[in-house]
Amino acid sequence: MADDDTNTASAGGTDPAEHPFSLVIGVTPSPAERLRLTELLDGVAPLLLVADLDELRELIDPGEKAPPAPPSDGALMIDAARSTARWGDREVALTRLERDLLTCLTTEPVRVWSYAELHHAVWHDAPTRRRADVQSLVKRLRRKLGELGTGVTVVAVRGVGLRLTDHRRPSVRGG
């Protein structure tokens, strides 16, 4: 009889912390892939889908902040884990798209990147590749780099694409 009372009490809505459950976390920037995961895992377990690890970190601990990096030696510092850009003692927050674009441009700072290459680097496997998406993102990124007072900016190379103007090796950390 005691077993029945125990089972009834536990099934009757006691503290959920007493009953662990599985949670599936899917990380993918692709809306199509998120939809596919939703269909595949429907009914298996609760499902949390996020576009990137930064979004997941924000959901897990919205108050967590990494300590600021020490002042740089005059080079632009990109903290991929925190999605920030730092120049000297000034820092600006970057969106995931801005961070991915800036990180891409800094991997080969002398190179001219085509709009299609940049679109792929930022939006990954998005079905449309609109030049206006990249141009809009570049405009926002230029404004933020200007707020930092850096000598770094993104310039258009007519008929080819985009590149950085400051060719010192910007530093990317985290990730």
Side-chain angles (χ1 to χ4, degrees), residues 91-107:
E91 182 176 272
V92 294
L94 302 171
T95 65
R96 181 193 66 82
L97 298 175
E98 292 164 345
R99 182 205 61 215
D100 288 355
L101 176 66
L102 188 56
T103 300
C104 178
L105 289 168
T106 59
T107 58

Side-chain angles (χ1 to χ4, degrees), residues 92-95 97-99 101-102 105 115 118 122-123 130-148 152-156 162-164:
V92 294
L94 302 171
T95 65
L97 298 175
E98 292 164 345
R99 182 205 61 215
L101 176 66
L102 188 56
L105 289 168
Y115 285 93
L118 291 171
V122 173
W123 283 275
R130 297 184 329 187
R131 189 176 185 153
D133 293 337
V134 176
Q135 291 170 329
S136 175
L137 187 57
V138 166
K139 183 178 178 180
R140 292 193 312 266
L141 186 57
R142 283 179 181 147
R143 186 175 1 140
K144 288 187 178 184
L145 291 173
E147 289 173 17
L148 285 175
V152 177
T153 192
V154 182
V155 295
L162 300 165
R163 68 175 176 84
L164 289 179

